[in-house]
Amino acid sequence: MDKVIKSDAEWREQLDDLTYKVTRKHGTERAFTHDDFPKEPGTFRCVCCGAPLFDQAHKFDSGTGWPSFWQPLDPEMVGEQEDRSWFMKRTEVHCNRCDAHLGHVFPDGPQPTGLRYCLNGVALEFEPENG
């Protein structure tokens, strides 16, 4: 995989304020603010570098207000690291191609994985299967 490396200034120029805050500064969008993703078959890509990260077939309604998936499209494309912010221990997930912060993964998802990748909608772009 080719890594995408850009300066902070280049990211600021490419991304709007909220997307920059979430993906480059590990922020979080408010719950229930990004529910406009289509329901048709397709791929969710990293908004920063276009890497394919999640498939519509693995998306589910977790009721949390953030897009949720039970597995990544390719586990090699989604990295994990410990996050101890907000006085709790969580597992942060990021795009392995450009290091964009995507959200967090929790062990309370549906089978077959039992995982819930709880992501920021602004970190993703939807590409329809026939697009």
Coordinates of all heavy atoms in Angstrom, one line a residue, residues 33-88:
T33 N -25.7 13.4 13.3 CA -25.6 14.5 12.4 C -25.1 14.1 11.0 O -25.0 14.9 10.1 CB -24.5 15.5 12.9 OG1 -23.3 14.9 13.1 CG2 -25.0 16.1 14.2
H34 N -24.9 12.8 10.8 CA -24.4 12.4 9.4 C -25.1 11.1 9.1 O -24.5 10.0 9.0 CB -22.9 12.2 9.5 CG -22.3 12.3 8.1 ND1 -21.7 13.4 7.7 CD2 -22.2 11.4 7.1 CE1 -21.3 13.2 6.5 NE2 -21.6 12.0 6.1
D35 N -26.4 11.1 8.8 CA -27.2 9.9 8.6 C -27.7 9.9 7.1 O -28.7 9.3 6.8 CB -28.4 9.8 9.5 CG -29.4 11.0 9.4 OD1 -29.0 12.0 8.7 OD2 -30.4 11.0 10.1
D36 N -27.0 10.6 6.2 CA -27.5 10.8 4.8 C -26.8 9.8 3.9 O -26.9 9.9 2.7 CB -27.3 12.2 4.4 CG -25.8 12.6 4.4 OD1 -25.0 12.0 5.1 OD2 -25.5 13.6 3.8
F37 N -26.2 8.7 4.4 CA -25.6 7.8 3.5 C -26.6 6.9 2.8 O -27.6 6.5 3.4 CB -24.6 6.8 4.2 CG -23.3 7.4 4.6 CD1 -22.9 7.4 5.9 CD2 -22.5 8.0 3.7 CE1 -21.7 8.0 6.3 CE2 -21.3 8.5 4.0 CZ -20.9 8.5 5.3
P38 N -26.5 6.7 1.5 CA -27.4 5.8 0.8 C -27.4 4.4 1.3 O -26.5 4.0 2.0 CB -26.9 5.8 -0.7 CG -25.9 7.0 -0.7 CD -25.4 7.2 0.6
K39 N -28.5 3.7 1.0 CA -28.6 2.3 1.5 C -28.3 1.3 0.4 O -28.3 0.1 0.7 CB -30.1 2.1 2.0 CG -30.6 3.1 3.0 CD -29.9 2.9 4.3 CE -30.6 3.8 5.4 NZ -29.7 4.6 6.1
E40 N -28.0 1.8 -0.8 CA -27.7 0.9 -1.9 C -26.3 0.2 -1.7 O -25.5 0.7 -0.9 CB -27.7 1.7 -3.2 CG -26.6 2.7 -3.3 CD -26.9 3.7 -4.4 OE1 -26.4 3.5 -5.5 OE2 -27.5 4.8 -4.1
P41 N -26.0 -0.8 -2.4 CA -24.7 -1.5 -2.3 C -23.6 -0.5 -2.7 O -23.7 0.3 -3.6 CB -24.8 -2.7 -3.3 CG -26.2 -2.9 -3.5 CD -26.9 -1.6 -3.3
G42 N -22.5 -0.6 -2.0 CA -21.3 0.2 -2.3 C -20.2 0.1 -1.3 O -20.3 -0.7 -0.4
T43 N -19.3 1.0 -1.5 CA -18.1 1.0 -0.6 C -17.9 2.4 0.1 O -18.1 3.4 -0.5 CB -16.8 0.7 -1.5 OG1 -17.0 -0.5 -2.1 CG2 -15.6 0.7 -0.7
F44 N -17.5 2.3 1.3 CA -17.2 3.5 2.1 C -15.7 3.7 2.0 O -15.0 2.8 2.5 CB -17.7 3.4 3.5 CG -19.2 3.4 3.6 CD1 -20.0 2.2 3.5 CD2 -19.9 4.6 3.8 CE1 -21.3 2.2 3.6 CE2 -21.3 4.6 3.8 CZ -22.0 3.4 3.7
R45 N -15.3 4.9 1.5 CA -13.9 5.2 1.3 C -13.4 6.3 2.3 O -14.3 7.1 2.8 CB -13.6 5.6 -0.1 CG -13.9 4.5 -1.1 CD -13.6 5.0 -2.5 NE -13.6 4.0 -3.5 CZ -12.6 3.1 -3.8 NH1 -11.4 3.3 -3.2 NH2 -12.7 2.2 -4.6
C46 N -12.2 6.3 2.6 CA -11.6 7.3 3.4 C -11.7 8.7 2.7 O -11.4 8.8 1.5 CB -10.1 7.0 3.7 SG -9.2 8.3 4.6
V47 N -12.3 9.7 3.4 CA -12.5 11.0 2.8 C -11.2 11.7 2.5 O -11.1 12.5 1.6 CB -13.4 11.8 3.7 CG1 -12.6 12.3 4.9 CG2 -13.9 13.0 2.9
C48 N -10.1 11.3 3.2 CA -8.8 11.9 3.0 C -8.0 11.4 1.8 O -7.4 12.2 1.0 CB -8.0 11.8 4.2 SG -8.6 12.7 5.6
C49 N -8.0 10.1 1.6 CA -7.2 9.5 0.6 C -7.9 8.6 -0.4 O -7.3 8.1 -1.3 CB -6.0 8.7 1.2 SG -6.5 7.2 2.1
G50 N -9.2 8.3 -0.1 CA -9.9 7.4 -1.1 C -9.8 5.9 -0.9 O -10.3 5.2 -1.6
A51 N -9.0 5.5 0.2 CA -8.8 4.1 0.4 C -10.2 3.4 0.7 O -11.0 3.9 1.4 CB -7.9 3.9 1.5
P52 N -10.4 2.2 0.1 CA -11.7 1.5 0.4 C -11.6 0.9 1.8 O -10.7 0.1 2.1 CB -11.7 0.4 -0.7 CG -10.3 0.2 -1.1 CD -9.6 1.5 -0.9
L53 N -12.6 1.2 2.7 CA -12.5 0.8 4.1 C -13.6 -0.1 4.5 O -13.3 -1.1 5.2 CB -12.4 2.1 5.0 CG -11.3 3.0 4.7 CD1 -11.4 4.3 5.6 CD2 -9.9 2.4 4.9
F54 N -14.8 0.2 4.2 CA -16.0 -0.6 4.7 C -17.0 -0.8 3.5 O -17.1 0.0 2.6 CB -16.7 0.2 5.8 CG -15.8 0.2 7.1 CD1 -14.9 1.3 7.2 CD2 -15.8 -0.8 8.0 CE1 -14.1 1.3 8.4 CE2 -15.0 -0.7 9.1 CZ -14.1 0.3 9.3
D55 N -17.7 -1.9 3.6 CA -18.7 -2.3 2.6 C -20.1 -2.1 3.2 O -20.3 -2.4 4.4 CB -18.5 -3.8 2.2 CG -19.4 -4.2 1.1 OD1 -20.6 -4.2 1.2 OD2 -18.8 -4.4 0.0
Q56 N -21.0 -1.6 2.4 CA -22.4 -1.4 2.8 C -23.0 -2.7 3.4 O -23.8 -2.6 4.3 CB -23.2 -0.9 1.6 CG -24.7 -0.7 1.8 CD -25.0 0.5 2.7 OE1 -24.9 0.5 3.9 NE2 -25.3 1.6 2.0
A57 N -22.6 -3.8 2.9 CA -23.1 -5.1 3.4 C -22.8 -5.4 4.8 O -23.4 -6.2 5.5 CB -22.6 -6.3 2.5
H58 N -21.8 -4.7 5.3 CA -21.3 -4.9 6.7 C -21.8 -3.8 7.7 O -21.4 -3.7 8.8 CB -19.8 -5.0 6.8 CG -19.3 -6.1 5.9 ND1 -18.1 -5.9 5.2 CD2 -19.8 -7.3 5.6 CE1 -17.9 -7.0 4.5 NE2 -18.9 -7.9 4.7
K59 N -22.7 -2.9 7.1 CA -23.2 -1.8 7.9 C -24.4 -2.2 8.7 O -25.2 -3.0 8.2 CB -23.5 -0.6 7.0 CG -23.8 0.7 7.7 CD -23.9 1.8 6.6 CE -24.1 3.2 7.3 NZ -25.4 3.3 7.9
F60 N -24.6 -1.7 9.9 CA -25.8 -2.0 10.6 C -26.2 -0.7 11.5 O -25.4 0.2 11.7 CB -25.6 -3.2 11.5 CG -24.7 -3.0 12.7 CD1 -25.2 -2.7 14.0 CD2 -23.3 -3.1 12.5 CE1 -24.4 -2.5 15.1 CE2 -22.5 -2.9 13.6 CZ -23.0 -2.6 14.9
D61 N -27.5 -0.7 11.9 CA -28.0 0.4 12.7 C -27.7 0.1 14.2 O -28.4 -0.7 14.7 CB -29.4 0.7 12.4 CG -30.0 1.9 13.2 OD1 -29.2 2.5 13.9 OD2 -31.2 2.2 13.0
S62 N -26.7 0.7 14.7 CA -26.4 0.5 16.1 C -27.2 1.3 17.1 O -27.2 1.1 18.3 CB -24.9 0.8 16.4 OG -24.6 2.2 16.2
G63 N -27.9 2.3 16.6 CA -28.7 3.2 17.4 C -27.9 4.2 18.1 O -28.4 5.0 19.0
T64 N -26.6 4.3 17.8 CA -25.7 5.3 18.5 C -25.7 6.6 17.9 O -25.2 7.6 18.5 CB -24.2 4.7 18.5 OG1 -23.8 4.6 17.2 CG2 -24.2 3.4 19.2
G65 N -26.1 6.7 16.6 CA -26.0 8.0 16.0 C -24.8 8.2 15.1 O -24.6 9.2 14.5
W66 N -24.0 7.2 15.0 CA -22.8 7.2 14.1 C -22.9 6.0 13.2 O -23.4 4.9 13.6 CB -21.5 7.1 14.9 CG -21.2 8.4 15.6 CD1 -20.7 9.6 15.1 CD2 -21.4 8.6 17.0 NE1 -20.6 10.5 16.1 CE2 -21.0 9.9 17.3 CE3 -21.8 7.8 18.1 CZ2 -21.0 10.5 18.6 CZ3 -21.9 8.4 19.4 CH2 -21.5 9.7 19.6
P67 N -22.4 6.1 12.0 CA -22.3 4.9 11.1 C -21.6 3.7 11.8 O -20.5 4.0 12.3 CB -21.6 5.4 9.8 CG -21.7 6.9 9.9 CD -21.8 7.2 11.3
S68 N -22.1 2.5 11.7 CA -21.5 1.4 12.4 C -21.4 0.2 11.5 O -22.3 -0.1 10.7 CB -22.3 1.0 13.6 OG -22.4 2.1 14.6
F69 N -20.3 -0.5 11.6 CA -20.0 -1.7 10.7 C -19.5 -2.8 11.6 O -18.9 -2.5 12.7 CB -18.9 -1.3 9.7 CG -19.3 -0.2 8.8 CD1 -19.1 1.1 9.2 CD2 -19.8 -0.4 7.5 CE1 -19.4 2.2 8.3 CE2 -20.1 0.6 6.7 CZ -19.9 1.9 7.1
W70 N -19.7 -4.0 11.2 CA -19.2 -5.1 12.0 C -17.9 -5.7 11.6 O -17.3 -6.5 12.2 CB -20.3 -6.3 12.2 CG -20.9 -6.8 10.9 CD1 -22.1 -6.3 10.4 CD2 -20.5 -7.8 10.1 NE1 -22.4 -7.0 9.2 CE2 -21.4 -8.0 9.1 CE3 -19.4 -8.7 10.1 CZ2 -21.3 -8.9 8.0 CZ3 -19.3 -9.6 9.1 CH2 -20.2 -9.7 8.1
Q71 N -17.4 -5.2 10.4 CA -16.0 -5.5 10.0 C -15.6 -4.6 8.9 O -16.4 -4.1 8.2 CB -15.9 -7.0 9.5 CG -16.5 -7.2 8.1 CD -16.3 -8.7 7.7 OE1 -16.2 -9.6 8.5 NE2 -16.4 -8.9 6.4
P72 N -14.3 -4.4 8.8 CA -13.8 -3.6 7.7 C -13.8 -4.4 6.4 O -13.8 -5.6 6.4 CB -12.3 -3.2 8.1 CG -12.0 -4.1 9.2 CD -13.2 -4.7 9.7
L73 N -13.7 -3.7 5.3 CA -13.6 -4.4 4.0 C -12.3 -5.2 3.9 O -12.3 -6.3 3.5 CB -13.7 -3.3 2.9 CG -13.8 -3.8 1.4 CD1 -15.0 -4.6 1.2 CD2 -13.7 -2.6 0.5
D74 N -11.2 -4.6 4.3 CA -9.9 -5.2 4.3 C -9.2 -4.9 5.6 O -8.9 -3.7 5.8 CB -9.1 -4.7 3.1 CG -7.7 -5.3 3.1 OD1 -7.3 -6.0 4.0 OD2 -7.0 -5.1 2.1
P75 N -9.1 -5.8 6.5 CA -8.5 -5.5 7.8 C -7.1 -4.8 7.7 O -6.7 -4.1 8.6 CB -8.4 -6.9 8.5 CG -9.4 -7.7 7.8 CD -9.5 -7.2 6.4
E76 N -6.4 -5.0 6.6 CA -5.1 -4.4 6.5 C -5.2 -2.9 6.3 O -4.2 -2.1 6.5 CB -4.3 -5.0 5.3 CG -4.0 -6.5 5.5 CD -3.0 -6.7 6.6 OE1 -2.0 -5.9 6.7 OE2 -3.2 -7.6 7.4
M77 N -6.4 -2.4 5.8 CA -6.5 -1.0 5.6 C -7.0 -0.2 6.8 O -6.9 1.0 6.8 CB -7.6 -0.8 4.5 CG -7.2 -1.3 3.1 SD -5.6 -0.6 2.5 CE -6.1 1.1 2.2
V78 N -7.4 -0.9 7.9 CA -7.9 -0.2 9.1 C -7.0 -0.5 10.2 O -6.9 -1.7 10.6 CB -9.4 -0.5 9.4 CG1 -9.8 0.1 10.6 CG2 -10.2 -0.1 8.2
G79 N -6.3 0.5 10.8 CA -5.4 0.2 11.9 C -6.1 0.6 13.2 O -7.1 1.2 13.3
E80 N -5.5 0.1 14.3 CA -6.0 0.3 15.6 C -4.9 0.8 16.6 O -3.8 0.5 16.4 CB -6.6 -1.0 16.2 CG -7.8 -1.5 15.5 CD -8.3 -2.8 16.1 OE1 -7.9 -3.2 17.2 OE2 -9.2 -3.4 15.5
Q81 N -5.3 1.6 17.5 CA -4.4 2.1 18.6 C -5.2 2.4 19.8 O -6.4 2.8 19.7 CB -3.5 3.2 18.1 CG -4.3 4.5 17.9 CD -3.3 5.6 17.2 OE1 -2.6 5.3 16.4 NE2 -3.5 6.8 17.7
E82 N -4.6 2.3 21.0 CA -5.2 2.6 22.2 C -5.5 4.1 22.3 O -4.6 4.9 22.0 CB -4.3 2.1 23.4 CG -5.0 2.3 24.7 CD -4.1 1.7 25.8 OE1 -4.0 0.5 25.9 OE2 -3.6 2.5 26.6
D83 N -6.6 4.5 22.8 CA -7.0 5.8 23.0 C -7.4 6.0 24.5 O -8.4 5.3 24.9 CB -8.2 6.2 22.1 CG -8.8 7.6 22.3 OD1 -8.3 8.3 23.2 OD2 -9.8 7.9 21.6
R84 N -6.7 6.8 25.3 CA -7.0 7.0 26.7 C -7.6 8.4 26.9 O -7.6 8.9 28.1 CB -5.8 6.8 27.5 CG -5.4 5.3 27.6 CD -4.3 5.1 28.6 NE -4.1 3.6 28.8 CZ -4.7 2.9 29.7 NH1 -5.6 3.5 30.6 NH2 -4.5 1.6 29.8
S85 N -8.2 9.1 25.9 CA -8.8 10.4 26.1 C -10.1 10.2 26.8 O -10.7 9.1 26.9 CB -8.9 11.1 24.8 OG -9.8 10.4 23.9
W86 N -10.6 11.3 27.3 CA -11.9 11.4 28.0 C -12.0 10.4 29.2 O -13.1 9.9 29.5 CB -13.1 11.1 27.0 CG -13.1 12.1 25.9 CD1 -12.6 12.0 24.7 CD2 -13.7 13.4 26.0 NE1 -12.8 13.1 23.9 CE2 -13.5 14.0 24.7 CE3 -14.3 14.1 27.0 CZ2 -13.9 15.3 24.5 CZ3 -14.7 15.4 26.7 CH2 -14.5 16.0 25.5
F87 N -10.9 10.2 29.8 CA -10.8 9.4 31.1 C -11.3 8.0 30.9 O -11.9 7.4 31.8 CB -11.5 10.1 32.2 CG -11.0 11.5 32.5 CD1 -11.8 12.6 32.0 CD2 -9.8 11.7 33.1 CE1 -11.3 13.9 32.2 CE2 -9.3 13.0 33.2 CZ -10.1 14.1 32.8
M88 N -11.1 7.4 29.7 CA -11.6 6.0 29.5 C -10.6 5.4 28.5 O -9.8 6.0 27.8 CB -13.0 5.9 28.9 CG -13.2 6.6 27.6 SD -14.9 6.5 27.1 CE -15.4 8.2 27.2

